[in-house]
Amino acid sequence: MGKSDTRARIRGAAAVLFRRHGYSATGLKRIAAEADAPFGSIYHFFPGGKQQLAEDMIRTSGAEYGRMVLALLDSVPDPAESLVNAFDAAADDLAGADYADACPIGTVALEVASSNEVLRVATAEVFEEWVGAATGWFGRWVAEPKTAQSLAYSMVMMLEGAFMLSRAARDPEPLRVAGRSMAELLRTAVAQGGED
């Protein structure tokens, strides 16, 4: 087991714990225990401690999640059906995880928005990357860039809001409704020629 394995285990444990419990409720000792790593190894890999580890988690997990969502959207040829499929997959995954694992950065983003500027900036930048990538995806179906961006913002907002509602209710239906709503928004934009 090499150093990169230990770093990967720490990152993986931190990602799960921050996603499920938030920043404040996740201690470094618990991360070390979950990663089966010596406590000091966290500071070896992340000299800035918990904040640096959380920022790393936000940026790496956020980028991975963004790529996964785009791949999912590209897995079905019809864009409206693709949106329904992607939200249904999120609903199935959330229910399969017993409503514990939703957005990899959402829990932390809500918690740190007014209390930790470094982490707030990291989550804001990841969300903006998602909107940018989704704007490009929607731009394949609607010609007007502002409409593509509006659809992208709507998708991210619906996904995040639906995750929150689904987790609170322990019911995947809000995610399924959000997917159908996004599909309808896209169909309307395409029918109107993508104009705002």
Side-chain angles (χ1 to χ4, degrees):
M1 204 177 332
K3 286 184 177 185
S4 63
D5 292 335
T6 302
R7 181 183 175 103
R9 288 196 322 275
I10 291 169
R11 284 174 126 180
V16 169
L17 292 170
F18 285 137
R19 178 175 59 235
R20 289 182 179 178
H21 305 293
Y23 181 71
S24 297
T26 300
L28 291 180
K29 287 181 181 177
R30 185 165 181 196
I31 292 170
E34 291 289 324
D36 193 26
F39 181 76
S41 63
I42 292 176
Y43 286 99
H44 172 75
F45 293 112
F46 302 96
K50 183 176 174 179
Q51 180 174 279
Q52 183 183 3
L53 179 56
E55 182 181 12
D56 177 81
M57 179 281 302
I58 289 164
R59 294 188 185 282
T60 56
S61 296
E64 289 170 13
Y65 192 74
R67 286 190 296 274
M68 182 200 68
V69 169
L70 284 178
L72 196 54
L73 289 173
D74 283 337
S75 69
V76 176
D78 178 82
E81 289 178 24
S82 177
L83 286 162
V84 171
N85 179 61
F87 277 80
D88 282 350
D92 293 343
D93 288 348
L94 185 61
D98 197 28
Y99 301 93
D101 291 327
C103 172
I105 68 167
T107 302
V108 173
L110 287 170
E111 180 183 358
V112 302
S114 61
S115 63
N116 186 311
E117 187 63 8
V118 170
L119 299 183
R120 183 204 63 78
V121 168
T123 57
E125 288 175 354
V126 168
F127 282 132
E128 198 55 39
E129 288 168 11
W130 291 354
V131 169
T135 298
W137 186 83
F138 283 109
R140 292 165 34 194
W141 317 110
V142 295
E144 175 58 43
K146 285 185 177 182
T147 301
Q149 185 181 50
S150 291
L151 288 166
Y153 273 119
S154 295
M155 184 181 77
V156 172
M157 292 182 298
M158 283 194 194
L159 183 61
E160 293 301 319
F163 272 139
M164 193 179 315
L165 291 172
S166 288
R167 286 184 79 186
R170 298 185 63 77
D171 183 354
E173 189 60 17
L175 280 159
R176 297 189 196 289
V177 170
R180 293 190 300 269
S181 296
M182 272 311 307
E184 191 54 38
L185 283 175
L186 177 59
R187 286 186 193 105
T188 300
V190 169
Q192 293 175 347
E195 297 174 5
D196 259 349

